[in-house]
């Protein structure tokens, strides 16, 4: 069944305190909407100073890794394409959004966070980055049936957020 686009959310409805899950919202939207930050050329400014760098999908490779001489093929077997990545100090926050509206395989994919975080750690080896791996989930996941999965996510050092990811969780 084809996906029906979200026609009622996004833009002005983005929570000023963080990334609010919406079908089209991303971390970039949340930063732009926040009155304390300016996003320009993938650099996040606060009070005129660069405090973070933003990347998504292939931009992580083109703008961060390739200029440092890193070819992902020499480190991991497949290119990982994050929905968003934010480098704050020496911590890179990898953000993956997951949407589901009924039973299906997305819930099972949540259990891959440990593997993906370890792949990112290998990818950034030698850059002295700490890696944080976060899910932002739509409210369909806010059910007791997922508690075991949520416990697992936390037990392997990853985090999940239902609907809203506060920017303070990203070191901003």
């Amino acid at each position: 069944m084809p996906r029906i686009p979200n026609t009622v959310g996004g833009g002005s409805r983005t929570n000023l305190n963080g990334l609010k899950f919406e079908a089209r919202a991303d971390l970039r939207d949340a930063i732009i909407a926040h009155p304390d930050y300016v996003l320009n050329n993938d650099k996040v400014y606060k009070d005129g100073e660069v405090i973070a760098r933003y990347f998504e999908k292939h931009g992580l490779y083109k703008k961060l890794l390739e200029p440092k001489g890193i070819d992902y093929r020499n480190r991991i077997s497949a290119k990982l394409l994050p929905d968003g990545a934010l480098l704050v100090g020496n911590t890179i926050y990898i953000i993956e959004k997951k949407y589901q509206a009924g039973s299906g395989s997305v819930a099972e994919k949540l259990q891959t966070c440990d593997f993906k975080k370890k792949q990112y750690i290998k990818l950034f080896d030698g850059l002295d980055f700490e890696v944080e791996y976060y899910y932002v989930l739509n409210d369909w996941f806010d059910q007791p049936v997922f508690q075991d999965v949520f416990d697992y996510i936390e037990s392997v050092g990853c985090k999940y957020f239902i609907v809203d990811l506060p920017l303070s969780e990203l070191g901003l």
Side-chain angles (χ1 to χ4, degrees):
M1 176 192 311
R3 184 179 166 279
I4 299 170
N6 177 4
T7 59
V8 296
S12 65
R13 293 187 174 200
T14 300
N15 182 324
L16 290 180
N17 293 319
L19 171 59
K20 191 159 187 79
F21 191 97
E22 295 172 0
R24 294 180 307 217
D26 63 12
L27 184 55
R28 176 186 301 274
D29 294 337
I31 294 168
I32 290 169
H34 198 288
D36 291 345
Y37 306 112
V38 173
L39 183 65
N40 187 10
N41 292 325
D42 296 325
K43 293 179 182 164
V44 180
Y45 294 84
K46 183 176 181 180
D47 301 325
E49 292 187 42
V50 176
I51 59 166
R53 292 183 61 203
Y54 174 81
F55 310 94
E56 61 186 35
K57 307 283 184 200
H58 297 283
L60 180 67
Y61 299 85
K62 291 182 190 306
K63 297 176 182 177
L64 179 63
L65 296 171
E66 289 173 13
K68 295 182 180 298
I70 295 173
D71 182 344
Y72 78 93
R73 293 169 289 205
N74 296 328
R75 294 174 178 234
I76 58 177
S77 57
K79 194 179 227 186
L80 300 168
L81 300 173
D83 292 330
L86 192 68
L87 179 60
V88 182
N90 72 333
T91 302
I92 189 147
Y93 298 88
I94 305 296
I95 311 302
E96 295 291 343
K97 291 187 346 178
K98 298 294 181 197
Y99 176 86
Q100 191 157 323
S103 62
S105 66
V106 172
E108 292 175 8
K109 292 176 184 175
L110 298 178
Q111 299 167 39
T112 66
C113 63
D114 184 43
F115 174 76
K116 289 181 181 174
K117 182 176 180 178
K118 287 176 180 172
Q119 290 295 92
Y120 279 110
I121 290 169
K122 284 170 50 177
L123 183 62
F124 298 124
D125 185 48
L127 296 180
D128 195 33
F129 291 169
E130 296 292 323
V131 176
E132 295 292 341
Y133 192 89
Y134 293 175
Y135 286 123
V136 179
L137 311 171
N138 71 313
D139 58 3
W140 185 85
F141 287 96
D142 194 11
Q143 332 180 27
V145 69
F146 293 111
Q147 191 58 52
D148 287 340
V149 174
F150 296 154
D151 291 346
Y152 173 75
I153 289 169
E154 290 178 343
S155 77
V156 296
C158 300
K159 289 187 179 182
Y160 71 93
F161 300 87
I162 305 290
V163 179
D164 194 21
L165 169 58
L167 292 180
S168 62
E169 287 284 340
L170 300 171
L172 295 178

